Amino acid sequence: GDLPGFTRTVYERDHALVTPESRVWTGLQGWKNTIGAHFVSPAMMSTHFTMYLAKMGEESSAGMPPNGAERFVFVVQGVAEIQVQGKTIRLEEDHYAYFPPDLPHEITSTTGAVLHINERIYSVPHSSDVDKRPEFLHGITEEQPVLPVPGEIFVLRKLLPQTPEYDFNIHVMDFEPGEFLNVKEYHYNQHSLLLLQGQGIYRLGENWYPVQAGDVIWMGAYVPQWYCALGKQRSRYILYKDTNRDPLFEYGKSFQ
């Protein structure tokens, strides 16, 4: 990262790897004493969500997402507080919160925090059987149950309910050194990924990328993908994934 002109960052039609030396920090609209770096946005091909890091300074506060947008916040470092529905909730490292679209809320930090954030315009279910809407929730990663993953050996936790009113989920996945994905995945669901710990090799399409903590990956629809953890410590990453929507509507831009 210190060599002049050198970066591991790559942008392709169906995927991207963004490494720390390429982060560009700017102000975020409506935020106070905060800078942000966007890694995934609709400026990419066929992408309908954003993923960014917000670096909150002392006595900082967040702006609201756009009208109709839902927001997921995960604390990478530091401490933040949220004010929502008449409650004040303290979020520490590995804590998270989900805000459904148009829910008034505040996010503040007295001492500073780094937040991983996903936002997207909520996709209304097209099935008449789904009459619920997503609700605010918050939690701690380690308190979430480890879920069975038939045919795989990694540890999986899902941070949002697996019910049809939610149009995405957030996975936290742990791999011990030498563990890898058994399935060489190919699917319509898009991903963003932040490697929180460890290192390994990520295959994206026909490319094989060495990756390490701090790297961000965007995976577009149908890009072949595979991961193997290397090194001497556990790998952990946090992953956004589209769920519970028919791709005919999701990618046909027919949602309301």
Side-chain angles (χ1 to χ4, degrees):
D2 293 331
L3 291 175
F6 174 78
T7 179
R8 292 185 296 116
T9 294
V10 175
Y11 177 69
E12 300 287 352
R13 177 187 61 83
D14 54 8
H15 70 272
L17 168 66
V18 187
T19 54
E21 73 276 0
S22 295
R23 294 177 180 175
V24 177
W25 299 92
T26 63
L28 295 172
Q29 183 174 337
W31 293 62
K32 176 185 175 183
N33 294 340
T34 302
I35 54 175
H38 277 81
F39 305 104
V40 181
S41 79
M44 293 168 154
M45 184 173 294
S46 301
T47 301
H48 50 253
F49 67 96
T50 62
M51 179 265 171
Y52 60 99
L53 291 178
K55 188 182 295 184
M56 305 184 74
E58 296 180 358
E59 304 299 333
S60 53
S61 60
M64 284 286 291
N67 292 339
E70 50 195 331
R71 168 182 278 174
F72 179 88
V73 174
F74 177 90
V75 180
V76 178
Q77 181 181 327
V79 177
E81 287 188 340
I82 57 176
Q83 294 80 37
V84 60
Q85 298 175 332
K87 299 177 290 186
T88 298
I89 301 168
R90 178 183 171 94
L91 297 182
E92 301 178 3
E93 186 173 329
D94 289 333
H95 294 201
Y96 62 89
Y98 167 81
F99 303 92
D102 302 320
L103 176 68
H105 64 275
E106 296 179 7
I107 305 173
T108 59
S109 180
T110 302
T111 57
V114 177
L115 308 181
H116 164 286
I117 299 176
N118 285 111
E119 294 173 349
R120 63 169 289 173
I121 301 300
Y122 180 65
S123 178
V124 177
H126 282 78
S127 172
S128 60
D129 296 332
V130 183
D131 57 2
K132 295 180 63 178
R133 289 295 181 264
E135 299 178 350
F136 167 77
L137 60 84
H138 66 97
I140 302 172
T141 303
E142 296 300 327
E143 294 182 355
Q144 304 314 303
V146 174
L147 301 177
V149 190
E152 300 284 4
I153 56 176
F154 62 82
V155 173
L156 170 66
R157 294 176 173 89
K158 297 186 179 183
L159 305 188
L160 296 181
Q162 301 176 66
T163 49
E165 66 269 25
Y166 293 88
D167 58 359
F168 72 89
N169 213 310
I170 301 293
H171 297 184
V172 173
M173 300 168 67
D174 295 328
F175 298 78
E176 295 299 325
E179 293 182 347
F180 54 87
L181 290 168
N182 180 50
V183 177
K184 282 63 72 177
E185 298 184 6
Y186 173 83
H187 48 64
Y188 80 88
N189 318 76
Q190 295 198 33
H191 295 313
S192 68
L193 179 156
L194 172 63
L195 192 59
L196 296 167
Q197 179 180 335
Q199 61 185 30
I201 296 289
Y202 228 106
R203 176 184 175 176
L204 299 168
E206 295 303 312
N207 301 291
W208 302 74
Y209 299 106
V211 294
Q212 61 187 3
D215 289 352
V216 171
I217 295 174
W218 164 66
M219 290 170 258
Y222 297 115
V223 61
Q225 54 199 254
W226 178 86
Y227 180 67
C228 177
L230 302 175
K232 298 181 179 179
Q233 64 174 320
R234 177 188 71 177
S235 284
R236 166 171 282 194
Y237 58 69
I238 183 169
L239 178 96
Y240 164 100
K241 182 177 183 178
D242 301 316
T243 56
N244 297 320
R245 297 296 182 268
D246 190 322
L248 178 64
F249 294 105
E250 194 78 343
Y251 293 92
K253 305 299 182 184
S254 300
F255 45 84
Q256 300 173 3

